[in-house]
Amino acid sequence: MTGKCLIAVPTLNEAKHIAHLLEQLLAEAKAMDWPVVVIDGGSADGTQAIVESFIARGEPVQLAHNPKRIQSAAMNQAVAQFGDGLDYVIRIDAHGDYPADYCRALVQEAQTIGADCVVVPMTTVGQNTFQRAVATAQNSLVGTGGSAHRTGKGGAFVDHGHHALMSIPAYRAVGGYDETFRHNEDAELDHRLRLAGYRIWLTDATGMTYYPRSTPSGLFKQYFGYGRGRARNVLKHRVIPRIRQMLPLAILPAVVLAALSFVHWVALIPLLAWCALCLAMGFVATRRHFTEYGLPMSGAPLVGLAAMIMHLAWSSGFWLHLAQAATSGFGAKRA
């Protein structure tokens, strides 16, 4: 197998995960003589000290400081500083687990298929009860609307997926990530890659395990950011969202409409129908997946609740960004 990789790990306050993650990555990286770089956005929880302890014991890890803090800037910095002479960059999520041959499988797939980018299926796994409910929602229709990389439908060229491997020449040709994006930067980059003629392959040869937010507030904040990012993407590229992305847009209007229920009870119907649908789909998802994600049937209402949090947060973030862009008078230019 030819091809030399840069393994890039953006971090910000990942002390709980970074040591285990580096142990996973280093076995493969050392075997292949591939550099591992942690690009830290100013962690205050000891993440940098943990990385420095690996460096002190002679492990082939480098630590770079990312003053812009966000992941898009971290990846751009990694490729600019460490990408010369290398063929691929592999983006590693510090919140995940990876198979022992993850990076090699990605390179093999890119070279076999002739793809410029390889994205991976992402299975969400929970450790506490709420995380398990979120995992059940995110791995099923109620939480993702059937997104291919969330439901294991690999082995095809796609428009977008969870970022894993990218050709460094392709990455540099389109200018890397847009650093004005705090969320949805991966979908935005995929759009530009496809416009430039590069091909994105969703592999079924490997995948990753992701650990979701462990609290309702953390989940809401995450999906609120996703909604804002999607709206920013729509404004920048004038693209129409897919149906599965447009459906949640009705949620915030339904909540606002429910506030008029004092005028007539009919105003509650859209909100109540959405709640009932989420709870019903959460029950179905739990029954179908409880052996996989460790959530008993008694936790089914939590699955519906997790889906509601994701839908409402995404819808709120999307509409807020559109409103701010409209009132600014030059939203399209900023996007």
Side-chain angles (χ1 to χ4, degrees), residues 132-144 285 303-304 306-307 310:
R132 293 188 184 104
V134 174
T136 304
Q138 290 183 341
N139 293 328
S140 58
L141 189 66
V142 66
T144 63
V303 178
M310 291 186 284

Side-chain angles (χ1 to χ4, degrees), residues 10 16 40 72 76 82 89 122 128 183 202 224 234 263 294 306 323:
K16 292 180 180 179
D40 188 78
S72 55
N76 287 347
F82 304 99
V89 59
M122 181 168 63
N128 62 35
H183 298 275
L202 174 59
F224 184 85
V234 166
V263 177

Side-chain angles (χ1 to χ4, degrees), residues 59-72:
E59 299 290 2
V61 180
Q62 297 186 69
L63 175 64
H65 300 283
N66 168 25
K68 297 181 181 178
R69 296 175 67 84
I70 59 176
Q71 286 187 329
S72 55

Side-chain angles (χ1 to χ4, degrees), residues 49-254:
I50 295 170
V51 178
E52 287 167 350
S53 71
F54 276 79
I55 297 171
R57 74 188 200 203
E59 299 290 2
V61 180
Q62 297 186 69
L63 175 64
H65 300 283
N66 168 25
K68 297 181 181 178
R69 296 175 67 84
I70 59 176
Q71 286 187 329
S72 55
M75 290 302 300
N76 287 347
Q77 182 179 336
V79 172
Q81 272 188 257
F82 304 99
D84 289 351
L86 304 180
D87 302 296
Y88 303 104
V89 59
I90 295 177
R91 173 175 168 169
I92 297 292
D93 191 325
H95 238 59
D97 274 330
Y98 299 86
D101 63 344
Y102 180 75
C103 297
R104 282 172 287 188
L106 291 173
V107 174
Q108 184 67 54
E109 192 82 338
Q111 295 179 341
T112 300
I113 301 299
D116 304 292
C117 306
V118 179
V119 296
V120 295
M122 181 168 63
T123 301
T124 309
V125 173
Q127 296 171 313
N128 62 35
T129 300
F130 182 74
Q131 278 186 313
R132 293 188 184 104
V134 174
T136 304
Q138 290 183 341
N139 293 328
S140 58
L141 189 66
V142 66
T144 63
S147 175
H149 71 278
R150 287 282 197 171
T151 52
K153 300 173 184 175
F157 285 103
V158 294
D159 292 339
H160 170 57
H162 186 76
H163 277 191
L165 174 145
M166 289 173 278
S167 155
I168 288 179
Y171 187 97
R172 286 176 163 171
V174 300
Y177 286 105
D178 184 338
E179 295 181 13
T180 66
F181 279 68
R182 287 184 172 270
H183 298 275
N184 210 234
E185 76 281 354
D186 50 356
E188 193 280 330
L189 176 56
D190 284 345
H191 182 81
R192 285 185 284 116
L193 284 165
R194 287 185 291 104
L195 286 179
Y198 296 108
R199 301 193 301 168
I200 302 167
W201 176 257
L202 174 59
T203 181
D204 57 4
T206 190
M208 68 160 294
T209 299
Y210 175 78
Y211 297 100
R213 299 300 188 268
S214 59
T215 64
S217 61
L219 184 65
F220 187 94
K221 182 178 179 181
Q222 180 185 30
Y223 274 77
F224 184 85
Y226 288 166
R228 288 185 67 106
R230 176 57 63 179
R232 193 175 186 88
N233 211 343
V234 166
L235 291 176
K236 178 175 180 177
H237 294 293
R238 297 295 189 264
V239 293
I240 299 175
R242 295 175 179 273
I243 292 177
R244 66 177 175 81
Q245 295 164 340
M246 293 180 70
L247 289 176
L249 294 181
I251 305 308
L252 183 62

Side-chain angles (χ1 to χ4, degrees), residues 302-325:
L302 269 181
V303 178
L305 176 63
M308 291 181 214
I309 292 171
M310 291 186 284
H311 296 170
L312 177 59
W314 197 95
S315 182
S316 300
F318 190 100
W319 286 115
L320 178 63
H321 185 81
L322 288 190
Q324 290 175 334

Side-chain angles (χ1 to χ4, degrees), residues 238-286:
R238 297 295 189 264
V239 293
I240 299 175
R242 295 175 179 273
I243 292 177
R244 66 177 175 81
Q245 295 164 340
M246 293 180 70
L247 289 176
L249 294 181
I251 305 308
L252 183 62
V255 172
V256 173
L257 180 63
L260 299 177
S261 60
F262 70 91
V263 177
H264 199 288
W265 64 269
V266 172
L268 278 173
I269 291 179
L271 179 62
L272 293 176
W274 165 62
C275 291
L277 180 63
C278 286
L279 290 172
M281 293 182 71
F283 179 85
V284 171
T286 305

